[in-house]
């Protein structure tokens, strides 16, 4: 027992001989009832911690316990397929209720004169507590029930379906089903009325929470995006699709044109640190803290392989340039090479410290790995032999990249130093000193004549000239820790990005900041130093995708106006809703009132800042958006 004001423990009891399974407060809060695997039910005094009653009678585990609203009766249900009602004043068992097999859920009516419970025989039973008799049975063919709840007024009951994924509202007096609500994509595990009784909530194994209005079949989704921070992004031009990985253990595939989530890939049981499309864009690879690497179908999201072998958290994964092999790096001090045709592990490359980053050479015959001990290794893909060890850093290497021509490797270390290495000789050719805190990112410009590095803690980006070895620009302005940097495809711009949602767009030639996005303090959720939350989408550098640790994903457009750049958001998923920016519905032909309301609900306006010149293209674009929005997971849905 803990006091919430200071979280000090007031008392502890070990009276149950085996672990407890359930616990509930009395309505006035002075007592607690607990159920246990030892088949007993116990009542405790909250103030003293004394055990007041031990109810003995169940012959198998006690799964659940509940107090009546008047605090005079305790109900318990057990794997012995009975429900027992205990008199709290005398300690006697007042009634033993059975029938229907295993009990999934039970609740008291608000008046305390009856209870409702659902069982494995596909029925909900209402029992009179005074007489111990069954007064009503609710059933719909062979549709099972997994949860039951009374309305605050006691005149209605809501049930959840374990088989047909439906939620139903029942009249207590007549036993008739008043409403059947559908919309969940999997079994509904729990239902609950609001205190006013005007709506109720349901939660399902489809990872969705829905709010339903009494008297209406429409529901509002509570969760529609990643419930955890976005840890990685990857773009597929072939599918015009973005893949995002998250600390919520899922991967989502987004339509770039509309922002609609087409698929949610589930299977990982830990944080997913990275997601990457194959060179052919037909497959995706993900790595997770659950110590597995997974291969997915890029079009439909089906799982193809689960690679098991690592014994600790997996930090990075990469496709070979040919797309026939995947490499994974782990804290277990190994890199594993996986054959995508057979699903087997071809080689285990063993180092002397945790492996953080891996990169294939452009030919695919070598793999470079960086470690927490400040070393890098070059491995032969065919034999698994270590060809070269690069030593010089005094702390872990968080960033590592091959040069565009494949002759150099750049490394960024927590020792604040950036180094360039000759792949053939293993010699360090350049040492860049300037960061005040650890360097976590290093990237080559597309032409290979420049290297950019970023430090998370000193909040700067430095541009290094490879010919002179000098720092051309130090880009200063971030208020928060930098997590990602990326050159534009043309190399004239570089973006720096924070997990908090703060961004800067810099001119590489002058070092000037061309655009700033203020950060969102509510996104202060922390994250992995290995996450990448930014990706360019086109060679023209006119659009990019960003994500943050609040779970938000946004699409942006870059508009060049002379020597200046203007950036606007095309769409963004924030607060579990899709928002359309600068979208005009006026003068668009072919939209019904429903379509107009749907678009306005998503953020469309009548007076946009940017108008498309071609009205016919505009109409086609808007109709396309409407059709995709209507068939997607919208905020308010009416089932068929």
């Amino acid at each position: 027992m803990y006091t919430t004001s200071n979280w000090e423990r007031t008392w502890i009891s070990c009276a149950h001989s085996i672990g407890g399974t359930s616990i509930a407060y009395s309505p006035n809060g002075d007592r607690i009832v607990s159920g246990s695997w030892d088949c007993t039910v116990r009542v405790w005094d909250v103030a003293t911690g004394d055990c007041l009653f031990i109810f003995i009678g169940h012959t198998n585990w006690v799964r659940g316990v509940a107090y009546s609203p008047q605090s005079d009766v305790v109900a318990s249900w057990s794997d012995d397929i009975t429900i027992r009602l205990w008199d709290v004043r005398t300690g006697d068992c007042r009634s033993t209720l059975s029938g229907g097999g295993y009990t999934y859920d039970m609740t008291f009516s608000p008046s305390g004169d009856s209870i409702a419970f659902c069982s494995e025989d596909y029925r909900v039973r209402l029992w009179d507590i005074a007489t111990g008799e069954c007064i009503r049975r609710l059933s719909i063919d062979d549709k099972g029930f997994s949860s039951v709840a009374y309305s605050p007024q006691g005149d209605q009951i809501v049930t959840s379906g374990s088989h047909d994924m439906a939620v139903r509202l029942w009249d207590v007096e007549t036993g008739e089903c008043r409403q059947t609500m559908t919309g969940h994509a999997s079994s509904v595990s729990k239902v609950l009325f609001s205190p006013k009784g005007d709506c109720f909530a349901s939660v399902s194994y489809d990872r969705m929470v829905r709010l339903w209005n009494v008297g209406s079949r429409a529901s509002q989704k509570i969760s529609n995006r990643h419930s955890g921070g976005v840890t990685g992004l990857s773009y597929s031009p072939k599918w015009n699709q973005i893949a995002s990985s998250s600390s919520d253990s899922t991967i989502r595939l987004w339509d770039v044109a509309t922002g609609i989530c087409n698929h949610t890939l589930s299977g990982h049981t830990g944080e997913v640190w990275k997601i990457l499309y194959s060179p052919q864009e037909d497959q995706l690879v993900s790595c997770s803290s659950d110590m597995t690497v997974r291969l997915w179908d890029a079009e439909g999201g089906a799982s193809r392989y689960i690679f098991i072998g690592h014994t600790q958290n997996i930090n990075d994964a990469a496709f070979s340039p040919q797309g026939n092999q995947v490499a994974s790096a782990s804290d277990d001090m190994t890199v594993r090479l996986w054959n995508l045709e057979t699903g087997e592990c071809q080689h285990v490359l063993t180092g002397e410290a945790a492996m953080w980053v891996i990169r294939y050479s452009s030919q695919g015959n070598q793999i470079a790995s960086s470690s927490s001990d400040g070393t890098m290794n070059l491995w032969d893909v065919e034999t698994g032999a270590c060809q070269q060890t690069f030593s010089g850093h005094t702390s872990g290497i968080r960033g590592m990249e091959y040069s565009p021509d494949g002759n150099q490797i750049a490394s960024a270390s927590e020792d604040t130093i950036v180094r360039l290495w000759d792949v053939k000789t293993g010699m360090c050719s350049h040492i860049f000193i300037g960061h005040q805190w650890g360097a976590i990112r290093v990237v080559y410009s597309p032409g290979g004549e420049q290297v950019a590095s970023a430090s998370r803690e000193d909040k700067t980006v430095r541009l290094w000239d490879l010919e002179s070895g000098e720092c051309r620009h130090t880009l200063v302005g971030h208020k928060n820790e930098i997590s990602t940097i990326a050159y534009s495809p043309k190399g004239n711009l570089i973006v720096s990005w924070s997990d908090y949602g703060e961004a800067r767009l810099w001119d590489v030639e002058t070092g000037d900041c061309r655009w700033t996005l203020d950060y969102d303090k509510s996104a202060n959720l922390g994250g992995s130093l290995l996450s990448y939350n930014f990706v360019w989408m086109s060679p023209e550098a006119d659009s990019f995708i960003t994500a943050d640790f609040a779970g938000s994903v946004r699409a942006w457009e870059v508009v060049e106006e002379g020597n200046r750049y203007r950036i606007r958001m095309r769409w963004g998923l924030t607060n579990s809703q899709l928002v359309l920016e600068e979208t005009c519905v006026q003068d668009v032909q072919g939209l019904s009132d429903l379509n107009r309301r749907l678009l306005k609900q998503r953020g469309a306006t009548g007076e946009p800042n940017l108008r498309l010149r071609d009205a016919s293209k505009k109409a086609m674009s808007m109709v396309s958006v409407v059709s995709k929005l209507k068939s997607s997971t919208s905020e308010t849905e009416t089932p068929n």
Side-chain angles (χ1 to χ4, degrees):
M1 174 67 67
Y2 293 87
T3 303
T4 56
S5 59
N6 55 17
W7 293 109
E8 291 185 357
R9 189 169 61 191
T10 56
W11 54 265
I12 183 172
S13 173
C14 300
H16 283 295
S17 60
I18 314 179
T21 60
S22 52
I23 193 169
Y25 267 100
S26 63
N28 56 18
D30 62 343
R31 292 183 179 183
I32 286 176
V33 61
S34 62
S36 170
W37 288 340
D38 65 8
C39 308
T40 68
V41 177
R42 294 173 184 259
V43 177
W44 310 85
D45 186 285
V46 170
T48 64
D50 294 335
C51 181
L52 304 178
F53 293 104
I54 302 176
F55 300 144
I56 299 174
H58 285 297
T59 59
N60 209 327
W61 296 350
V62 178
R63 288 291 184 181
V65 291
Y67 256 100
S68 68
Q70 291 73 29
S71 299
D72 58 340
V73 176
V74 162
S76 59
W77 61 98
S78 164
D79 279 4
D80 63 10
I81 319 181
T82 66
I83 295 175
R84 289 178 177 261
L85 304 181
W86 309 91
D87 191 306
V88 176
R89 291 166 295 190
T90 64
D92 296 332
C93 180
R94 293 178 52 174
S95 300
T96 300
L97 316 178
S98 61
Y102 184 85
T103 300
Y104 294 121
D105 195 17
M106 192 216 75
T107 182
F108 278 94
S109 66
S111 61
D113 58 357
S114 63
I115 60 170
F117 65 90
C118 52
S119 307
E120 62 181 345
D121 68 346
Y122 307 149
R123 287 179 172 83
V124 173
R125 289 174 169 82
L126 278 59
W127 292 81
D128 186 282
I129 290 179
T131 64
E133 295 181 353
C134 180
I135 56 178
R136 195 86 62 226
R137 289 180 177 86
L138 315 179
S139 64
I140 293 287
D141 298 328
D142 292 331
K143 314 300 183 187
F145 301 103
S146 56
S147 181
V148 59
Y150 272 98
S151 66
Q153 296 77 21
D155 59 337
Q156 297 181 100
I157 283 179
V158 63
T159 61
S160 64
S162 60
H163 294 168
D164 62 355
M165 301 170 283
V167 179
R168 291 179 170 84
L169 193 65
W170 304 80
D171 186 289
V172 171
E173 184 66 27
T174 64
E176 294 180 354
C177 180
R178 290 181 173 178
Q179 291 177 240
T180 299
M181 284 72 68
T182 59
H184 280 296
S186 187
S187 298
V188 182
S189 57
K190 189 69 176 177
V191 289
L192 184 69
F193 262 100
S194 66
K196 293 182 179 179
D198 56 344
C199 63
F200 50 90
S202 60
V203 61
S204 166
Y205 290 108
D206 64 6
R207 302 190 179 203
M208 197 66 64
V209 177
R210 290 177 179 266
L211 289 181
W212 309 85
N213 293 319
V214 174
S216 171
R217 297 187 180 185
S219 71
Q220 177 183 353
K221 290 184 178 180
I222 302 300
S223 54
N224 188 33
R225 62 173 183 179
H226 283 297
S227 59
V230 178
T231 58
L233 294 172
S234 186
Y235 174 60
S236 167
K238 177 180 179 179
W239 305 108
N240 197 27
Q241 182 174 265
I242 283 288
S244 61
S245 59
S246 171
S247 59
D248 67 5
S249 306
T250 69
I251 298 152
R252 290 178 181 254
L253 306 183
W254 309 89
D255 185 282
V256 170
T258 64
I260 301 303
C261 178
N262 293 325
H263 299 287
T264 298
L265 315 186
S266 302
H268 282 296
T269 58
E271 296 91 339
V272 183
W273 294 129
K274 189 170 184 179
I275 186 69
L276 189 67
Y277 280 96
S278 66
Q280 295 78 21
E281 300 181 38
D282 59 338
Q283 299 181 103
L284 284 158
V285 68
S286 59
C287 63
S288 169
S289 62
D290 65 8
M291 302 179 289
T292 68
V293 177
R294 288 178 178 255
L295 192 69
W296 312 84
D297 179 75
E299 182 178 9
S303 178
R304 291 185 173 179
Y305 282 118
I306 303 174
F307 301 129
I308 299 174
H310 285 295
T311 59
Q312 292 188 44
N313 176 68
I314 301 174
N315 296 310
D316 200 7
F319 277 102
S320 65
Q322 295 77 22
N324 61 348
Q325 188 182 73
V326 161
S328 55
S330 170
D331 284 341
D332 65 9
M333 300 188 291
T334 68
V335 172
R336 289 178 176 260
L337 307 184
W338 308 91
N339 187 302
L340 299 191
E341 292 184 2
T342 65
E344 296 179 352
C345 180
Q346 292 177 283
H347 294 293
V348 179
L349 317 179
T350 304
E352 297 182 356
M355 300 289 193
W356 281 353
V357 184
I358 49 174
R359 295 289 184 269
Y360 276 92
S361 64
S362 57
Q363 295 78 24
N365 61 330
Q366 281 183 336
I367 285 180
S369 65
S370 72
S371 304
S372 60
D373 63 358
T375 63
M376 294 192 307
N377 292 305
L378 279 185
W379 309 87
D380 185 280
V381 170
E382 184 67 27
T383 65
C386 182
Q387 298 177 323
Q388 200 78 254
T389 298
F390 303 143
S391 300
H393 286 297
T394 59
S395 191
I397 300 171
R398 293 284 184 183
M400 181 185 68
E401 295 291 343
Y402 272 95
S403 62
D405 60 14
N407 295 326
Q408 280 184 335
I409 293 178
S411 59
S413 170
E414 291 178 338
D415 64 8
T416 74
I417 296 174
V418 176
R419 291 174 179 261
L420 302 186
W421 309 84
D422 187 283
V423 170
K424 293 183 179 179
T425 66
M427 301 296 293
C428 180
S429 59
H430 292 77
I431 300 176
F432 299 139
I433 300 175
H435 286 296
Q436 302 302 308
W437 293 85
I440 65 161
R441 294 284 181 267
V442 61
V443 291
Y444 279 91
S445 62
E449 74 282 353
Q450 190 180 83
V451 161
S453 61
S455 170
R456 190 175 181 91
E457 284 80 9
D458 75 11
K459 305 169 188 174
T460 67
V461 177
R462 291 176 178 263
L463 307 183
W464 309 90
D465 185 88
L466 299 193
E467 184 175 351
S468 65
E470 296 179 352
C471 179
R472 291 189 57 188
H473 298 293
T474 300
L475 312 181
V476 180
H478 273 281
K479 301 174 184 177
N480 293 274
E481 298 172 342
I482 298 172
S483 61
T484 302
I485 54 174
Y487 279 97
S488 64
K490 292 181 180 179
N492 60 323
L493 301 171
I494 191 168
V495 161
S496 52
W497 182 259
S498 164
D499 288 337
Y500 302 88
E502 179 192 13
R504 298 284 189 275
L505 183 68
W506 311 87
D507 187 295
V508 169
E509 183 65 28
T510 65
D512 295 334
C513 182
R514 298 298 190 186
W515 171 73
T516 299
L517 174 67
D518 291 332
Y519 73 101
D520 181 2
K521 292 181 179 180
S522 66
N524 185 359
L525 302 177
S528 167
L529 295 178
L530 301 172
S531 62
Y532 293 81
N533 302 336
F534 179 96
V535 60
W536 290 97
M537 288 194 301
S538 67
E540 292 76 24
D542 59 0
S543 56
F544 57 87
I545 296 284
T546 63
D548 59 39
F549 270 86
S552 299
V553 179
R554 297 178 175 93
W556 306 84
E557 285 184 346
V558 181
V559 181
E560 187 173 356
E561 299 175 340
N563 294 326
R564 301 185 62 184
Y565 296 92
R566 184 166 60 85
I567 298 177
R568 70 182 188 92
M569 187 173 71
R570 289 172 52 187
W571 54 260
L573 285 160
T574 59
N575 298 324
S576 306
Q577 296 179 355
L578 177 64
V579 178
L580 301 176
E581 289 290 326
E582 298 189 37
T583 302
C584 176
V585 296
Q586 286 185 349
D587 303 325
V588 176
Q589 302 297 316
L591 294 182
S592 66
D593 288 340
L594 176 61
N595 290 340
R596 287 176 179 270
R597 291 198 301 271
L598 177 61
L599 287 168
K600 286 186 177 182
Q601 181 186 45
R602 297 299 191 178
T605 61
E607 298 179 358
N609 295 323
L610 180 63
R611 294 180 181 271
L612 299 177
R613 296 179 180 178
D614 193 332
S616 63
K617 290 183 179 179
K618 179 178 179 181
M620 292 174 61
S621 173
M622 293 306 299
V623 171
S624 174
V625 170
V626 168
S627 65
K628 292 191 177 185
L629 281 173
K630 289 180 68 176
S631 63
S632 71
T633 53
S634 60
E635 180 188 65
T636 303
E637 300 181 353
T638 301
N640 296 328

